[in-house]
Amino acid sequence: MCLGLPGRLVDTTVDRGTPMGVVDFGGATRSVCLTFTPEAEPGQYVIVHAGVAIAILDEAAAAESLDLFAEMGLTDPDSARGMA
Amino acid sequence: MTDPSTWSCPLPLADQPVITMAHGGGGQRSADLVEHLFLPAFGPAAAGAALTDAAVVELGPGRVACTTDSYVVQPLFFPGGDIGTLAINGTVNDLAMVGARPRVLTTAFVLEEGLELAVLDRIARSMGRAAAAADVRLLAGDTKVIERSSGDGLYITTSGIGTVDPDITLEPAQIQPGDRILVSGPIGRHGVAVLSRREGLEFGTTIESDCAPLHDLVQTLLAGGTTTRALRDLTRGGLATALCELAETASVGIEFDEALVPVPEPVRAACGFLGLDPLVVANEGTMVAFVAPSDAEHALATMHAHHRGRGAAIIGEVVAENPGSVVARTALGGRRVVLRPLGEQLPRIC
Amino acid sequence: MKYVAEFGAPELAQRLLDEIRATVTQPWTLMEVCGGQTHAIISHGIDQLLPESVELVHGPGCPVCVTPLALIDQSLAIAARPEVIFCSFGDMLRVPGSASDLYRVRAEGGDVRVVYSPLDAVELAAANPDREVVFFGVGFETTAPANALAIRTARDRGLGNFSVLISHVLVPPAIEAIVTSPDCRVDAFLAAGHVCTVMGLDQYEPLAQAHGVPIIVTGFEPLDVLDGIRRALGQLERGEAVVENAYPRAVQAAGNAAARATLEDVFETTDRQWRGIGTIDRSGWRLRPPYRAFDAAIRFAVDEITAPESERCQAGAVLQGHIRPTECPAFGEECTPASPLGAPMVSAEGACAAYYSHRRVDLRRREGTARANHS
C-alpha cells in the first residue's frame, strides 16, 4: 500500500479554491493537490500519494536519521575503514 | 516537423480534410491518398515506387532476413517521435537484431474514419524521414479504412527485408556461461515519454523517446570483430523481459548489477511516482548484446565510439546456475529474481 | 537533501546491517505490515542480507490482497454498465473476482480507465457530464484523504455523475486481529510509515502496551526498512514493547491534522470484510450520511452482491503470518501468478507471488562470481 514519493514543490497556484502545486520528482513534474499541506512553500519537499501531498518533509529529522546511521557499526573495523 | 495547423492539402484532397470510408475502397480516393499524400510525404525513400500491392527488388546473392510488426501506440505523437517513426525504426531494429542490413519495407495502414489528413500527412512524413535516415526504401503498401470506433486514429503494419552477410549468425542458442551482457544506452526513455502524454496520466518530463534505428550500431559492432552471440532490442517489457526471454531460450542463468544499468534520472523519477520498475519500461532504440568475455571491453569501446551507443555499459554476465532465470544484484549487495511483467505497465499506489 | 538516494546509501546500509547482526541473539519473526515495505525488501534484496534467525513475514497492507471478493465483484458489475466510466488505480485491474477481473470487463466493452489520482476521475466526471464516472476507492489510511477530497470536490462542484465504490480498511484493527489470533507468531510489527504520516502514532501506543509487541513506524527506502528492523530487534532483545518512530522526517506524532479533519468529516468507522481473513470489527471506513449520495454501491444497487471466498485459497492465514505461502496446498499448483487463486499471488510483491518467484532460484551469494570483474 501507499506508494509515496518525495518531490520538491516548485510552484503553487489556486484552482477553484483548491491549493495546487507543481512537484518535481527529479526530472518528472506533476500537478499535485496541496489541500492537506497548505503551508508548503516552493523549495520544500512533500510526500505525494495518489496526486495529493500528505506531508512536508522535515529536513532536520532526515539529517538526524542519517547522522544516526553513520555512527553505527563503528565497532566493526571493516565498516569503520569504509566510512573514513 | 510539419505543423499540422499550417498543412495545406494539394487538390484533390483539399475538399476532404478527414479520412472517409471511400479512402479505403480501392478506388479513386485510395489512389489520391497514395499519389497526393503518401508518395510526397515518404519523399526520397519511396522514389520510383508506386506503393502498389507488390514490388520487385534486386537484393543480390546470399541470405535475407524478413520481419513484420504492427504499431498501435497511444498517443500517436509523443516526445521524441510518433507512430510513424516507431513503425519504421521498430521494423528496422527487428532486422538489425539478427544482423541484417535493412533494405526494403512495406507499409500497411488501417485508418479510422474521421482521422484528419493533416495528422496522417505528419505521420507519413515522419516515416519518410525515418526511412531515409535508416537507408531503407518504402516499396509497397496498402490502406484500409475502418468505421469510426475506438478513436485510436490509425494502426500501421510494416514488413521488412534485409540482407545478411555470409559470416553473421546471431541467435540466443549461441549464448553461453561467461558471456558478458552490454546494454547500448540508458533505458526506459520511450515508455516514460509515451506515458507522460497518455490521457489521465499526463506529467512533465524532459525525457524523449529513444526511438532510433540500431542497424548501423550493430554493423559497426560486428565489423569490429567482436564475438557477438546474440542481440535483442528492449521493446515492450523492457530490459527485464528481454533478459528473461533470452535466459529461457538459451537455458542459461543471467546475473547483472542493478547499479550498472544506465537509468536516466527523469526516468527513475517518473517510474518512482507511478510505481513502475525502469527494468520493465519499453525502449525503441536500445538493445542488449551478449558478447564473448574476452571481447567485452572492445565491444564496449566500439559502442561508445558510435553515436547510438554512447551510453553503453556492461551490466552483467551469463552464468550456468539457475538456467532460465535472471537475478539482479542490488546496490546493497542483495539479490533478487527479475521477472517478466505479466501485462501492461500500470501506475499503482501500492 | 532529496530524501531518496540518501536513504539508499550502501555504506550506511552496511552499518545498519552490522548493528542488526550485533543485536540478534535468538530467532525473531517480524511482520512488515505494508506492501510498499515488502516491495522495498524484495527489490533491494534486504531479506537475504539479514541474519538467518530474523524472519520477515509480509503483512496484509496491500489493497490488492485484502479488498474483499464481493467488492471486486461489485466493481465488475458497475464497470460493465454502458453508461459508466470506471476509474481505478492500476493495482486493481488484475485482481480476480469470482469469475472475471477488470481487464476482462474492459475487453468485453466496459470503459475501464487507469488514473493516477482520484482527483483525475473527478476531472473526467466534469468532462463527461453525460456519463457516470465511478472511482474504485480502495486503500488504507494513506489513500483515504485523496478519496475523501475527490468526493468533497465533486460535491462542491455539483458533479452528480461522480461516485466512489468505497472499500477503505484500517491498519490498527488488522494488527490487533493478527496479534490476538491464537496462531500468531509475529514478535514485532513494522507499521506502515505513510499511514502514520496521515494518522499519527496515538492509535498504536495502546496496541503495543496491551499486547506486548514492539511497533516501529517504518519508511520505505532501504535504510528506513533496515532501521525499522534494527529498532524492532533491539526492543525484542531488551524485552521492551513500545511504539518507536523510525520515519521521523515524514511522520509527526499527531499525523496530518488537515487530512484527519477531512477524513473525520467524510468517513465513519464500520466493520469491514478483509479478503481471506473475514470481517474485522470497526476495521474500515464508509461514507457518512451527508456523502452517501456519492456511494456507488448504493447508486448502482450492487451492495447486495456477495461472493463466497475460495475454499482452497489460504490467503488469510498467509496474510496474518500463520502459515508460509508454500504451506498452502494450492501454492504453485492451481495457484500461480499467471492464474492466481487469491490476491497475494496477484501483484509481484504479494506474499505468495514473492515466494513463487524466489523458490525456483537459489539466491545464495556465491563467492568468486564474475561480480568482481566489473564492480
Side-chain angles (χ1 to χ4, degrees):
Chain A
M1 100 191 101
C2 310
L3 183 88
L5 198 70
R8 193 169 61 92
L9 190 58
V10 291
D11 196 14
T12 58
T13 55
V14 175
D15 178 20
R16 293 172 225 253
T18 303
M20 300 290 292
V22 175
V23 171
D24 182 354
F25 294 97
T29 57
R30 229 276 177 185
S31 164
V32 161
C33 174
L34 300 177
T35 294
F36 301 133
T37 56
E39 69 280 27
E41 290 174 8
Q44 287 184 312
Y45 277 74
V46 292
I47 292 188
V48 179
H49 174 78
V52 176
I54 54 171
I56 302 171
L57 281 155
D58 181 337
E59 185 164 2
E64 222 169 280
S65 293
L66 293 172
D67 287 347
L68 176 73
F69 304 152
E71 285 163 15
M72 274 172 204
L74 286 177
T75 48
D76 179 53
D78 286 340
S79 9
R81 262 203 307 278
M83 247 340 253
Chain B
M1 187 156 292
T2 312
D3 177 355
S5 63
T6 63
W7 182 75
S8 65
C9 183
L11 288 172
L13 296 178
D15 59 331
Q16 294 280 358
V18 297
I19 290 292
T20 66
M21 295 307 289
H23 286 114
Q28 186 58 43
R29 287 287 183 213
S30 300
D32 288 346
L33 209 53
V34 170
E35 186 180 343
H36 298 287
L37 192 146
F38 285 125
L39 280 172
F42 286 171
L51 295 180
T52 46
D53 292 348
V56 177
V57 61
E58 188 71 54
L59 293 175
R63 295 176 299 163
V64 298
C66 63
T67 186
T68 189
D69 211 340
S70 296
Y71 299 85
V72 296
V73 67
Q74 267 305 320
L76 298 175
F77 299 90
F78 46 83
D82 57 46
I83 190 172
T85 51
L86 211 57
I88 300 297
N89 290 329
T91 294
V92 162
N93 289 344
D94 284 344
L95 292 171
M97 292 305 111
V98 294
R101 298 172 193 273
R103 302 285 293 275
V104 298
L105 261 57
T106 66
T107 59
F109 293 83
V110 175
L111 308 175
E112 187 182 6
E113 191 182 19
L115 175 70
E116 288 176 42
L117 285 179
V119 170
L120 181 60
D121 181 68
R122 186 175 159 195
I123 290 166
R125 282 175 197 279
S126 291
M127 294 175 75
R129 275 193 305 274
D135 201 20
V136 290
R137 297 177 62 207
L138 304 176
L139 287 188
D142 183 49
T143 304
K144 296 285 192 301
V145 177
I146 55 171
E147 285 176 23
R148 193 183 264 275
S149 54
S150 67
D152 278 357
L154 82 160
Y155 311 121
I156 305 175
T157 298
T158 52
S159 300
I161 297 176
T163 50
V164 188
D165 289 353
D167 48 350
I168 290 177
T169 308
L170 295 173
E171 52 189 41
Q174 300 188 127
I175 295 173
Q176 46 193 272
D179 286 353
R180 295 293 187 269
I181 303 164
L182 285 78
V183 58
S184 68
I187 64 164
R189 290 173 288 166
H190 176 71
V192 165
V194 169
L195 275 179
S196 75
R197 293 292 184 274
R198 187 157 293 170
E199 188 188 0
L201 289 184
E202 293 94 341
F203 58 89
T205 179
T206 51
I207 282 290
E208 295 199 338
S209 170
D210 60 339
C211 185
L214 290 168
H215 63 293
D216 194 62
L217 175 64
V218 171
Q219 292 302 324
T220 306
L221 185 67
L222 297 176
T226 57
T227 307
T228 305
R229 319 271 198 208
L231 303 171
R232 181 63 60 93
D233 53 345
L234 311 177
T235 54
R236 277 176 307 177
L239 178 61
T241 300
L243 293 181
C244 288
E245 282 178 5
L246 289 168
E248 277 173 34
T249 311
S251 283
V252 295
I254 286 177
E255 297 204 359
F256 68 96
D257 282 299
E258 248 178 333
L260 298 178
V261 177
V263 182
E265 204 41 48
V267 168
R268 206 177 283 287
C271 287
F273 84 83
L274 295 171
L276 305 178
D277 181 350
L279 293 180
V280 303
V281 175
N283 308 270
E284 288 293 343
T286 308
M287 64 176 186
V288 281
F290 286 68
V291 175
S294 55
D295 288 348
E297 290 301 329
H298 177 57
L300 184 65
T302 308
M303 280 199 189
H304 282 164
H306 192 280
H307 67 288
R308 300 247 180 257
R310 274 192 208 117
I314 299 175
I315 60 166
E317 66 287 323
V318 178
V319 297
E321 295 81 8
N322 301 318
S325 294
V326 179
V327 172
R329 296 180 288 250
T330 72
L332 300 190
R335 291 150 61 81
R336 69 172 171 116
V337 181
V338 174
L339 296 173
R340 205 195 298 223
L342 277 160
E344 68 179 309
Q345 293 308 301
L346 299 172
R348 60 186 179 88
I349 54 154
C350 173
Chain C
M1 179 78 71
K2 291 180 176 170
Y3 302 96
V4 179
E6 293 94 336
F7 288 88
E11 66 277 10
L12 293 183
Q14 200 50 56
R15 287 172 176 279
L16 282 159
L17 281 164
D18 287 345
E19 187 84 5
I20 286 169
R21 286 188 203 105
T23 303
V24 178
T25 64
Q26 55 179 300
W28 297 109
T29 300
L30 314 181
M31 174 177 277
E32 87 275 5
V33 170
C34 173
Q37 290 159 342
T38 307
H39 183 78
I41 287 163
I42 292 175
S43 67
H44 296 285
I46 289 171
D47 43 343
Q48 288 124 55
L49 298 171
L50 295 173
E52 280 190 16
S53 53
V54 178
E55 184 187 356
L56 294 177
V57 175
H58 311 320
C62 158
V64 168
C65 295
V66 301
T67 300
L69 194 57
L71 209 96
I72 303 290
D73 284 356
Q74 291 173 15
S75 78
L76 301 177
I78 294 173
R81 297 172 70 108
E83 76 276 24
V84 165
I85 299 175
F86 194 85
C87 302
S88 172
F89 297 124
D91 309 49
M92 302 306 291
L93 264 67
R94 278 190 65 236
V95 180
S98 297
S100 186
D101 57 39
L102 284 170
Y103 262 127
R104 208 177 305 173
V105 168
R106 185 167 74 178
E108 288 162 4
D111 191 346
V112 177
R113 304 191 194 181
V114 171
V115 294
Y116 167 67
S117 167
L119 298 169
D120 297 338
V122 175
E123 292 304 326
L124 266 177
N128 295 275
D130 53 334
R131 303 280 301 276
E132 282 286 335
V133 173
V134 182
F135 182 73
F136 199 1
V138 298
F140 286 78
E141 294 95 322
T142 317
T143 316
N147 291 347
L149 203 56
I151 291 162
R152 256 202 343 212
T153 305
R155 183 197 63 181
D156 294 347
R157 287 171 65 177
L159 298 172
N161 62 329
F162 180 79
S163 59
V164 179
L165 184 62
I166 286 282
S167 175
H168 278 305
V169 281
L170 307 173
V171 167
I175 290 183
E176 176 132 48
I178 291 167
V179 81
T180 54
S181 155
D183 297 328
C184 178
R185 57 189 192 92
V186 177
D187 299 310
F189 290 90
L190 306 186
H194 291 147
V195 164
C196 296
T197 298
V198 173
M199 300 302 292
L201 306 178
D202 51 349
Q203 295 170 298
Y204 295 89
E205 304 280 2
L207 278 175
Q209 268 179 25
H211 304 291
V213 284
I215 298 178
I216 318 296
V217 176
T218 304
F220 302 86
E221 300 302 330
L223 299 187
D224 295 322
V225 173
L226 286 169
D227 192 36
I229 293 169
R230 177 190 71 91
R231 290 172 188 253
L233 294 170
Q235 283 198 35
L236 289 170
E237 292 282 345
R238 293 191 302 272
E240 297 169 5
V242 296
V243 175
E244 270 188 82
N245 182 1
Y247 196 29
R249 66 184 184 280
V251 175
Q252 311 294 322
N256 181 318
R260 287 182 76 172
T262 299
L263 292 171
E264 184 63 29
D265 173 48
V266 175
F267 294 122
E268 63 188 13
T269 309
T270 184
D271 299 345
R272 275 270 178 226
Q273 209 196 350
W274 294 54
R275 187 170 191 166
I277 297 176
T279 300
I280 302 177
D281 290 348
R282 303 180 60 75
S283 67
W285 279 328
R286 66 177 174 193
L287 293 169
R288 285 191 188 276
Y291 294 95
R292 295 259 166 91
F294 293 93
D295 189 330
I298 296 172
R299 184 176 300 184
F300 297 98
V302 294
D303 43 355
E304 299 300 310
I305 294 178
T306 57
E309 305 263 351
S310 161
E311 285 171 15
R312 293 160 297 163
C313 177
Q314 310 271 318
V318 169
L319 291 176
Q320 295 176 85
H322 300 160
I323 63 169
R324 290 180 184 83
T326 44
E327 295 172 66
C328 170
F331 179 84
E333 304 296 330
E334 47 187 328
C335 182
T336 64
S339 174
L341 204 58
M345 193 58 103
V346 172
S347 67
E349 56 267 26
C352 298
Y355 265 78
Y356 183 84
S357 62
H358 277 73
R359 66 171 190 155
R360 291 168 304 166
V361 177
D362 178 10
L363 282 174
R364 279 172 302 182
R365 302 268 306 268
R366 293 187 314 279
E367 296 309 318
T369 59
R371 177 184 180 77
N373 291 337
H374 49 253
S375 58

